Amino acid sequence: MQELTHYINGEHVKGTSGRFADVYNPATGEVQAKCPLASADELAQAVEVAAAAQPAWGAVNPQRRARVMMEFVRLLNRDMDKLAEALSREHGKTFPDAKGDVQRGLEVVEYCIGAPQLLKGEFTDSAGPGIDMYSMRQPLGVSAGITPFNFPAMIPMWMFAPAIACGNAFILKPSERDPSVPLMLAELMEEAGLPKGILQVVNGDKEAVDAILDHPVIQSIGFVGSTPIAEYIYGRGCSNGKRVQCFGGAKNHMIIMPDADMDQAADALVGAGYGAAGERCMAISVAVPVGDETADRLIEKLVPRIEALKVGPYTAGDDVDYGPVVTAAAKEKILGLVQSGVDQGAELVVDGRDFKLQGYEDGFFVGPHLFDRVTPDMDIYQQEIFGPVLSCVRAASYEEALGLAMDHEMGNGTAIFTRDGDAARDFANRINIGMVGVNVPIPVPLAYHTFGGWKKSAFGDLNQHGPDAFKFYTRTKTVTARWPSGIKEGGEFNFKAMD
Ligand code: NAD
């Protein structure tokens, strides 16, 4: 059995707490590694190393820091298949999807190559007699990030790339369910030229997270994961005086207007609802067709597409639509919610409950499910299922559809499918959700824009990546400088006037 490590001060370090988490191969159900769970002492050792290494790194000019990012991009491309393979093996997502996970993180690293430009301050010449005023963006010191299982490459890179490009040291506490890729990323950053101690990986669970929240040297904390933990981390981190941004769960609605291209909408829903087994914070989990006729046409188009989905392990080839969910507990939770939908009166149009994959009976595979006539009081509507389950809520009008998405407590992403520019424009303007798609089911902003939800999907003021990241990982210092003038009329310099 492989025993994974922490990555501290440029070394793979064995865990000393004596506590471990099982890391599964979700396709077979086998435990393939043990992940060490750090104690507060182990976390404190990493913080000490980070605090000692950071001042020198913060003093390196931004262009040289950017060159490390450039080299890191080259190494990510070199090792793309190796990273994707390790990722699929622990997470279960298909090989092309795993490469996409690395690629989307890589794009944030590419954006960070612009650090010299992004870190430039402002300057006002002659703000008063002999007075200039300028601002600079300085690193915070030691930052930490706590990341979820569902994007073990992309989300760590969302955080550590801008933090490090800004001159901070960064401690990553990845998900204990798939920690191998984050460890590989830390090694690659050092191969790219990053000094030891600037990026460290401390594996762990709540104990390590609490140690991060309470450590006085850590200045900022980024979190991505479920909403209850996001709320907890935001509250405790802020009350300890840290800068905190937390991104939580989702329940993304897609509105289908009567004039939508129904084939396009159905294709989009199948990709967005079932891709990555629904384990995406930007997955569409609620379809809201407007009008019964639209709903009937949509269901008719959806059913054969869903029934044709190929579910399998990442090793079965690139035509697999989605793989297993991450753990047996995740599978159990999903099937429990499906049962609640049936019990509460939703119509289960595609039933994946008996799904079995020959040769992989112990894997955590979940068949695709489609519910129709879901109502807002049902658990499957209110809760994030995070599995291959799509719920259809029929709305009588556009206003009712809009109101549903507005009233849901989550506000990560949403989409409208229509041919009517006026409806699309009205929707984009009025909806209280952070990321909006118009005929685009998963409207994930690219690296040079910012990513973040509203309502219970995000806590804090600034979004992930894009220009916001450079604000989050720096603080502004503004200097007002006065140099009394010794220059007399006629240009002769009077040193005495300087006394
Ligand atoms: P999770 O909340 O269970 O875990 C996230 C991180 O928090 C992990 O590192 C975990 O070790 C840690 N953690 C877990 N329980 C904790 C506790 N009690 N105290 C302190 N730390 C704890 O989330 P997950 O299951 O890994 O990821 C799935 C969730 O993440 C979904 O809700 C999904 O919507 C969300 N997500 C959100 C975004 C976004 O940008 N909004 C992106 C990806 C995933």
Side-chain angles (χ1 to χ4, degrees):
M1 170 85 48
Q2 191 192 0
E3 185 179 319
L4 298 171
T5 58
H6 307 297
Y7 194 76
I8 297 177
N9 203 14
E11 309 281 338
H12 284 278
V13 176
K14 280 194 163 195
T16 56
S17 71
R19 294 194 310 122
F20 292 89
D22 289 337
V23 179
Y24 291 89
N25 177 340
T28 61
E30 285 161 352
V31 177
Q32 55 177 333
K34 295 223 166 275
C35 173
L37 301 175
S39 63
D41 280 349
E42 289 170 289
L43 184 272
Q45 284 163 26
V47 175
E48 204 178 310
V49 169
Q54 189 275 329
W57 176 245
V60 166
N61 75 59
Q63 197 156 11
R64 285 187 55 196
R65 295 203 297 258
R67 282 188 200 128
V68 172
M69 296 296 161
M70 252 186 263
E71 179 60 5
F72 182 48
V73 167
R74 193 186 69 78
L75 298 176
L76 288 171
N77 280 313
R78 183 196 71 186
D79 288 1
M80 178 67 81
D81 284 359
K82 199 167 130 192
L83 289 160
E85 210 276 329
L87 201 158
S88 291
R89 199 170 356 105
E90 286 184 356
H91 176 287
K93 64 175 75 175
T94 66
F95 195 62
D97 215 11
K99 284 209 259 190
D101 192 331
V102 179
Q103 177 65 28
R104 293 307 290 260
L106 181 156
E107 287 165 13
V108 172
V109 182
E110 284 176 331
Y111 177 76
C112 293
I113 294 170
Q117 172 69 14
L118 291 158
L119 289 170
K120 277 199 307 204
E122 293 173 327
F123 189 89
T124 302
D125 173 49
S126 300
I131 296 175
D132 300 325
M133 198 173 281
Y134 60 95
S135 65
M136 44 186 155
R137 308 203 73 92
Q138 296 192 320
L140 305 172
V142 180
S143 294
I146 300 152
T147 54
F149 81 86
N150 69 327
F151 282 98
M154 177 184 83
I155 294 178
M157 285 191 264
W158 277 1
M159 296 181 186
F160 75 65
I164 289 171
C166 289
N168 298 285
F170 193 87
I171 296 175
L172 173 65
K173 204 304 285 170
S175 171
E176 62 276 39
R177 291 180 229 166
D178 45 15
S180 288
V181 169
L183 289 165
M184 292 163 79
L185 295 177
E187 277 177 7
L188 287 183
M189 280 290 279
E190 272 183 36
E191 191 182 338
L194 190 72
K196 290 185 196 316
I198 298 300
L199 175 59
Q200 301 178 96
V201 180
V202 174
N203 281 306
D205 58 0
K206 181 170 166 52
E207 190 172 331
V209 172
D210 286 347
I212 288 172
L213 293 172
D214 295 342
H215 200 295
V217 170
I218 293 176
Q219 299 294 307
S220 81
I221 298 174
F223 170 85
V224 179
S226 59
T227 289
I229 312 296
E231 272 185 299
Y232 165 71
I233 287 177
Y234 191 69
R236 187 154 162 180
C238 288
S239 72
N240 283 336
K242 301 185 192 309
R243 187 178 288 193
V244 191
Q245 59 173 191
C246 293
F247 298 86
K251 196 76 184 175
N252 303 322
H253 293 52
M254 178 167 135
I255 315 293
I256 301 99
M257 298 293 284
D259 66 351
D261 178 326
M262 218 44 76
D263 284 303
Q264 199 190 77
D267 286 339
L269 266 172
V270 171
Y274 301 92
E279 289 176 323
R280 290 179 180 142
C281 70
M282 289 296 278
I284 295 287
S285 49
V286 183
V288 189
V290 173
D292 265 334
E293 203 226 322
T294 312
D296 292 342
R297 282 193 291 140
L298 181 69
I299 296 284
E300 196 187 309
K301 299 267 183 200
L302 279 175
V303 171
R305 284 169 166 82
I306 296 169
E307 286 174 345
L309 284 169
K310 188 171 170 198
V311 184
Y314 75 95
T315 44
D318 287 358
D319 63 335
V320 170
D321 290 297
Y322 72 84
V325 298
V326 68
T327 54
K331 177 174 175 173
E332 203 176 310
K333 182 190 161 198
I334 294 162
L335 292 179
L337 276 160
V338 168
Q339 191 54 47
S340 81
V342 173
D343 295 345
Q344 291 171 10
E347 195 180 307
L348 189 53
V349 183
V350 178
D351 184 351
R353 285 176 293 180
D354 291 333
F355 181 85
K356 285 265 177 307
L357 195 64
Q358 217 186 349
Y360 293 89
E361 286 78 4
D362 294 331
F364 312 136
F365 292 95
V366 180
H369 295 79
L370 174 66
F371 278 110
D372 193 7
R373 300 184 191 280
V374 174
T375 52
D377 54 317
M378 294 178 182
D379 291 345
I380 50 168
Y381 179 75
Q382 287 170 6
Q383 293 184 32
E384 184 181 37
I385 303 175
F386 226 54
V389 184
L390 182 65
S391 296
C392 180
V393 183
R394 294 173 174 233
S397 65
Y398 165 69
E399 283 298 327
E400 190 186 328
L402 177 76
L404 271 170
M406 302 266 289
D407 289 347
H408 202 284
E409 63 171 3
M410 298 298 184
N412 214 38
T414 188
I416 185 167
F417 271 63
T418 181
R419 289 186 170 102
D420 181 348
D422 182 37
R425 190 168 177 276
D426 182 78
F427 183 75
N429 282 336
R430 284 166 66 196
I431 195 75
N432 55 359
I433 288 173
M435 293 170 279
V436 183
V438 175
N439 297 317
V440 172
I442 305 191
V444 175
L446 291 175
Y448 40 92
H449 285 265
T450 73
F451 181 109
W454 288 14
K455 300 187 276 184
K456 292 250 177 190
S457 294
F459 305 85
D461 302 323
L462 293 167
N463 278 351
Q464 300 270 6
H465 62 68
D468 276 13
F470 279 72
K471 293 193 180 121
F472 184 75
Y473 288 111
T474 55
R475 33 182 158 233
T476 304
K477 184 182 281 174
T478 307
V479 180
T480 306
R482 178 164 179 264
W483 293 99
S485 176
I487 301 173
K488 285 199 295 190
E489 260 179 63
E492 197 188 327
F493 200 77
N494 179 359
F495 286 101
K496 281 201 105 175
M498 298 287 287
D499 293 339

